[in-house]
Amino acid sequence: MSQQSQPPQRPTPGRISKAVIPAAGLGTRFLPATKATPKEMLPVVDKPAIQYVVEEAVAAGLTDVLMVTGRNKRPLEDHFDRNYELEEALSRKGDASRLARVRESSDLATMHYVRQGDPRGLGHAVLCAQPHIGDQPFAVLLGDDLIDPRDPLLTRMTTVQHHHGGSVIALMEVDPAHIHLYGSAAIQPTDEPDVVRVTGLVEKPEPGQAPSHYAVIGRYVLDPAVFTVLAHTPPGRGNEIQLTDALKTLATPDHPGGPVHGVVFTGRRYDTGDRADYLRAIVRLACERDDLGPDFRTWLKAYVNGEMDQ
Ligand code: UTP
């Protein structure tokens, strides 16, 4: 692949308004639940996981959301659309609070959808967004990665992109024994304690090959130059077109779409596509809820202490 070398481009201030949410994966780790239902629709307490992700985008000021969907993704579109029958039934009953809950998801953002067709990898899913995004920086939020609403990672990332230009990824320090499950970043410190310069990336490294134990997690703010790179990125690990491989290209010195910075996240994050982490997300968020928490915590303590016969 040949790319012309140009100085990194500075963004136009305040232009990030579009978010892309890839949600076209097969969700094989969650079978059989995901045989006919997208994993992003699995409930976390009483909202589907994907609604938290869209709410996070909106909280960071991104109100134009493009979801990249695949097979069985009709429920995703329905969830963010009006449901007149249900609304009518709740209004007839005078159930104003449930009516508001039903309307929340359809009033959140301007939703757009594109089909990925063949799930050829996360990089390919992002490439499907090109016609909608055009030539402005944009955010990518993975539909199965839940960032606790109290930890505003994406807002910090858009600020960093605004300041440095180029592209920004989210990193989290993980147990070195788990780095093979993630993309691993080679990094250099900057003047800001939560920001690093990314100099290289390896997707799901073999033992001993990880450049660091800083793992790439599912939030990105990308320069549109990533599309040109993705269009030329061959299938990599797992025979899929990997976003990490394209980011590695962006991170090479003076490449258009670079530099790549990383925001080191120390907040609460759950991979809702992983069964154990999904359970942790539900238990934690339920325990911390004002309406459900007090009773649920009492029950949970008794259960964990073996104080329950049945
Ligand atoms: P995962 O690596 O979690 O893959 O994708 P998956 O197929 O969804 O799930 P498992 O591993 O089989 O259980 C990471 C993100 O990229 C999206 C997924 O929807 C998820 O948000 N993705 C992945 C796509 O949109 N298209 C793809 O071709 C692959």
Side-chain angles (χ1 to χ4, degrees):
M1 173 184 42
S2 71
Q3 294 277 345
Q4 253 191 324
S5 232
Q6 286 168 11
Q9 287 176 358
R10 291 270 147 193
T12 316
R15 295 295 279 276
I16 301 176
S17 62
K18 292 184 180 175
V20 175
I21 303 185
L26 296 176
T28 54
R29 285 170 295 165
F30 239 117
L31 284 168
T34 47
K35 185 179 171 191
T37 306
K39 67 176 167 179
E40 294 82 3
M41 283 304 293
L42 297 178
V44 176
V45 190
D46 50 9
K47 276 193 290 196
I50 192 76
Q51 189 174 332
Y52 291 86
V53 178
V54 175
E55 286 171 353
E56 182 193 342
V58 172
L62 314 177
T63 51
D64 179 302
V65 175
L66 175 73
M67 214 169 273
V68 184
T69 63
R71 77 190 219 305
N72 293 337
K73 298 296 176 166
R74 184 71 195 277
L76 288 165
E77 299 186 16
D78 287 344
H79 183 70
F80 292 99
D81 200 356
R82 300 288 296 267
N83 183 334
Y84 290 103
E85 246 175 29
L86 182 57
E87 289 180 31
E88 186 53 36
L90 291 169
S91 322
R92 270 201 309 272
K93 283 204 222 168
D95 195 338
S97 77
R98 289 205 174 100
L99 183 60
R101 297 281 283 157
V102 164
R103 284 189 177 149
E104 257 170 30
S105 55
S106 52
D107 292 343
L108 262 178
T110 308
M111 303 296 298
H112 306 270
Y113 300 91
V114 62
R115 287 261 171 176
Q116 188 182 4
D118 263 356
R120 291 167 53 201
L122 175 57
H124 179 248
V126 172
L127 189 54
C128 294
Q130 183 174 22
H132 182 78
I133 296 298
D135 61 359
Q136 295 298 323
F138 63 103
V140 175
L141 296 87
L142 298 197
D144 56 357
D145 223 332
L146 200 161
I147 301 293
D148 194 292
R150 294 160 294 185
D151 300 320
L153 169 63
L154 193 58
T155 304
R156 177 69 182 134
M157 292 173 72
T158 54
T159 307
V160 170
Q161 197 279 342
H162 191 81
H163 183 69
H164 292 282
S167 301
V168 179
I169 63 177
L171 298 172
M172 210 165 173
E173 209 172 345
V174 298
D175 183 333
H178 296 155
I179 192 69
H180 67 282
L181 301 170
Y182 298 86
S184 163
I187 56 169
Q188 286 170 354
T190 70
D191 294 342
E192 295 163 284
D194 64 332
V195 180
V196 291
R197 175 79 183 256
V198 176
T199 56
L201 287 156
V202 181
E203 180 63 20
K204 299 198 171 71
E206 301 293 336
Q209 303 294 307
S212 77
H213 44 267
Y214 285 91
V216 180
I217 59 169
R219 298 294 178 267
Y220 311 81
V221 178
L222 300 176
D223 185 279
V226 73
F227 293 128
T228 313
V229 176
L230 280 169
H232 294 94
T233 300
R237 222 191 139 91
N239 205 26
E240 294 192 334
I241 298 174
Q242 297 288 351
L243 181 59
T244 308
D245 291 341
L247 291 169
K248 187 176 159 186
T249 304
L250 293 188
T252 54
D254 299 329
H255 199 285
V260 178
H261 284 90
V263 169
V264 179
F265 182 62
T266 51
R268 293 152 282 194
R269 174 238 173 206
Y270 312 94
D271 174 1
T272 54
D274 173 78
R275 289 169 302 173
D277 228 20
Y278 173 76
L279 292 174
R280 281 191 278 271
I282 293 180
V283 170
R284 188 158 182 175
L285 293 177
C287 281
E288 293 168 3
R289 282 263 295 252
D290 289 341
D291 53 348
L292 298 167
D295 280 354
F296 184 58
R297 279 198 304 270
T298 308
W299 177 86
L300 192 60
K301 264 187 212 143
Y303 177 71
V304 169
N305 292 335
E307 291 163 14
M308 293 166 62
D309 294 335
Q310 45 182 312

